[in-house]
């Protein structure tokens, strides 16, 4: 007998606080596995956001910093500039990264800062109660767009991967989803690649992960996976938007 | 032969494993309730399990462990190795 | 010892280098520009990192990250930029990270102007951001003192694991004075076993955090911070006295206004009027002892002179608790307090005492 699956050492034993079916937990596991498999767990410093993942420092089994809302890339920059040999990542949601922290996101990329950002896009503010996010889809109902997001009132969804990919300092920019086992395996490969880009000193790497929020979408977890596939992926196409020439 | 174990205290009964299981052999336990008030996932027909690990991959709470019997050389099939 | 002519803003930079600071994150704003200009050249010479951030908000959070990683780190700005940094300073104070923040104060409120001011006194000494916290605040009054106090600021930051603010104004920043540099001081940075450097063989993880969701836990953190501030109040009050022991009128002034007040003291003494000066060097913790001691001696009245509408005035009144009358003279909006104006006020007080 052999254990075919193993709980990664990159995670602590702490029970995750996320709602049932929230795919944050899958993304946590993928990031933790990637760090462990690359053998860099002991020299990794993670920076967590404000939002649902605010307690991520309790889950990732490495040194962690809790940043102010939107400021994780700036904090990560400070760490990396002091410890260039360390592996530094930020884990941020859509409100944190694409609303209040847009400037930090754009400029960490423009500096080609050698850090990795895991961007969890679930098209809604989770922790504060289901408000509209910068990535909320047109027509999507949230607690602050009760009749659906209308472009003339609330603007358009922001496509972060496409935006950041236009920046010269960005080395690896990709969008993945965690709605099926196949997509989860692809997401894992993307996260591994992003960390490799950092370790090789090639520049800034960002993995946008389409994720679910069953609670605030008002759907059961299986329905949320379907909604991600049917509504989110058409609006946020999966794929690599920028990758180092010659591979990683 | 493959065995699947669900950590009933970690399981939040979200049914994502139920959804992705290609053999449809996972369900939420109707009788059992864990200390958080969730009905944890259980295997209905372990004989049919192919060891595809989809349940492990989709589980947001690292509540699934898949154990596979090896065909002779005893090497681990652990993905990460 | 050889003297070199140095601009105040540059002295802040050189003081940081002498203190072993090798990381600076900032954003351009007048009238502190020569400070980042100096460090952009100087830090690479000593193997350090100068980084221009996209905003003051980002700069202070880079400081947070660098301090978390165990570095001696500094940022500098001027009033509106310091306002933007307050969120980050509050986080740094709660996470108990050492760093130095320089504020070359300018006229406010709002965009104000770029002239010299002391109107950020309240913001500096009362916390500045949200929550119950304090920072040691140092107020140099000469270019030499800038060099020395910046080193002190880094030592205090490490001693208390707390952000430390050094305040100046446009005059101090822009003026050139001869300074004695001497050999660099021996820098003894205490070990930082709490730093998030990667675990690197360490058994437990380090976490830098200011989130305590349970009120009981957060109250404990606050009580620990408060006891630290009480310790600062015990150990760190600094001030300078000038002809204060036999003075009947004592001017209380900090920074550049204290320089002006010294000229007033000299002038009054020549005229036979016993005037003295108490210059707080730490604005927090506020040096109340010399005021209290003075009030039990020959001092009949105090005059607080500031380039604001009366901010340190409140701390002087709190220190004296009505023991002696406290008068005030201030100019605002970047207007400089002149020797003649302060002298006029002193003469008015002196006449009233007769």
């Amino acid at each position: 007998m052999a254990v075919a699956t193993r709980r990664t050492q990159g995670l602590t034993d702490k029970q995750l606080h996320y709602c049932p079916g929230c795919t944050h937990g899958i993304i946590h596991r993928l990031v933790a596995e990637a760090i462990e498999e690359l053998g860099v767990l002991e020299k990794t410093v993670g920076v967590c956001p404000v939002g649902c993942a605010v307690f991520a420092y309790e889950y990732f089994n490495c040194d962690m910093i809790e940043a102010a809302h939107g400021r994780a890339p700036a904090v990560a920059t400070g760490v990396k500039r002091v410890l260039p040999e360390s592996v530094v990542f930020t884990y941020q949601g859509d409100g944190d990264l694409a609303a209040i922290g847009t400037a930090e996101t754009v400029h960490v990329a423009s500096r080609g800062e050698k850090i990795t950002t895991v961007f969890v896009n679930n098209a809604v503010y989770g922790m504060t109660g289901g408000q509209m996010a910068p990535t909320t889809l047109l027509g999507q109902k949230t607690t602050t767009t009760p009749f659906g997001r209308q472009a003339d009132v609330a603007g358009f969804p922001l496509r972060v991967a496409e935006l950041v990919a236009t920046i010269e300092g960005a080395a690896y920019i990709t969008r993945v989803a965690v709605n099926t086992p196949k997509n989860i395996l692809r997401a894992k490969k993307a996260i591994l690649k992003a960390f490799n880009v950092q370790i090789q000193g090639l520049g800034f790497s960002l993995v946008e992960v389409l994720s679910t929020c069953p609670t605030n979408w008002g759907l059961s977890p299986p329905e949320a996976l379907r909604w991600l596939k049917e509504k989110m992926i058409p609006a946020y196409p999966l794929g690599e938007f920028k990758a180092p020439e010659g591979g990683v | 032969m493959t065995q699947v174990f669900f950590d009933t205290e970690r399981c939040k009964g979200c049914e994502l494993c139920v959804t992705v299981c290609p053999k449809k052999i996972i369900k939420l336990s109707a009788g059992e309730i864990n200390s958080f008030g969730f009905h944890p996932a259980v295997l209905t027909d372990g004989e049919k399990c192919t060891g595809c690990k989809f349940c492990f991959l989709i589980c947001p709470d690292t509540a699934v462990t898949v154990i596979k019997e090896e065909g002779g050389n005893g090497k681990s099939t652990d993905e990460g190795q | 010892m050889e003297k070199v002519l140095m601009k105040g803003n540059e002295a802040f930079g050189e003081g940081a280098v002498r203190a072993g600071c090798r990381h600076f994150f900032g954003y351009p704003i007048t009238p502190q520009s020569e400070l980042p200009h100096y460090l952009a050249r100087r830090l690479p010479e000593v193997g350090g990192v100068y980084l221009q951030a996209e905003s003051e908000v980002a700069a202070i959070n880079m400081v947070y990250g660098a301090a978390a990683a165990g570095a001696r780190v500094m940022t500098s700005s001027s009033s509106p930029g310091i306002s933007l940094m307050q969120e980050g300073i509050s986080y740094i104070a709660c996470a108990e990270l050492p760093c130095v923040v320089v504020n070359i104060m300018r006229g406010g409120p709002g965009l104000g102007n770029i002239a010299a001011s002391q109107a950020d006194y309240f913001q500096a000494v009362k916390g500045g951001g949200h929550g119950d916290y304090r920072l040691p605040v140092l107020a140099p009054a000469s270019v030499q003192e800038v060099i020395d106090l910046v080193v002190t600021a880094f030592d205090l930051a490490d001693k208390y694991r707390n952000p430390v603010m050094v305040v100046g104004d446009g005059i101090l920043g822009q003026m050139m004075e001869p300074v004695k540099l001497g050999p660099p001081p021996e820098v003894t940075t205490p070990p930082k076993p709490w730093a998030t450097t990667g675990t690197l063989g360490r058994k437990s993880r380090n976490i830098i955090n200011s989130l305590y969701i349970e009120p009981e836990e957060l109250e404990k953190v606050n009580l620990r911070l408060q006891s630290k501030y009480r310790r600062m109040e015990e150990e760190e009050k600094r001030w300078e006295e000038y002809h204060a022991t036999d003075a009947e009128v004592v001017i209380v002034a900090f920074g550049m206004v204290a320089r002006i007040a010294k000229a007033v003291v000299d002038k009054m003494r020549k005229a036979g009027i016993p005037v003295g000066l108490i210059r707080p060097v730490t604005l927090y913790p506020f040096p109340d002892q010399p005021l209290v001691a003075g009030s039990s001696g020959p001092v009949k009245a105090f005059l607080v002179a500031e380039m604001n509408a009366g901010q340190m005035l409140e701390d002087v009144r709190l220190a004296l608790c009505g023991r002696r009358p406290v008068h005030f003279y201030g100019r605002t909006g970047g207007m400089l307090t002149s020797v003649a104006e302060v002298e006029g006020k002193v003469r008015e007080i002196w006449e009233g005492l007769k």
Side-chain angles (χ1 to χ4, degrees), chain A residues 1-7 13-16 18 20-22 25-26 29 33 37 179 181 184-185 221-222 225, chain B residues 3 9-10 12 14 16 19 36 38 53-54 56-58 60 62 65-68 76-81:
Chain A
M1 300 291 262
V3 178
T5 61
R6 189 172 55 87
R7 197 165 186 284
D13 285 336
K14 180 105 179 168
Q15 180 114 342
L16 302 178
Y18 300 104
C22 166
I26 301 173
R29 179 174 60 77
E33 285 176 352
E37 287 165 26
N179 61 317
I184 290 167
L185 289 171
L225 291 186
Chain B
Q3 291 181 335
E9 278 304 293
R10 279 191 181 273
K12 292 173 183 161
C14 73
L16 294 191
T19 311
F36 297 96
F38 296 121
K53 298 188 281 191
F54 281 11
F56 168 82
L57 286 171
I58 202 91
T62 58
T65 307
V66 180
I67 293 178
K68 250 183 173 172
S76 168
T77 59
D78 188 340
E79 263 192 316
Q81 304 297 307

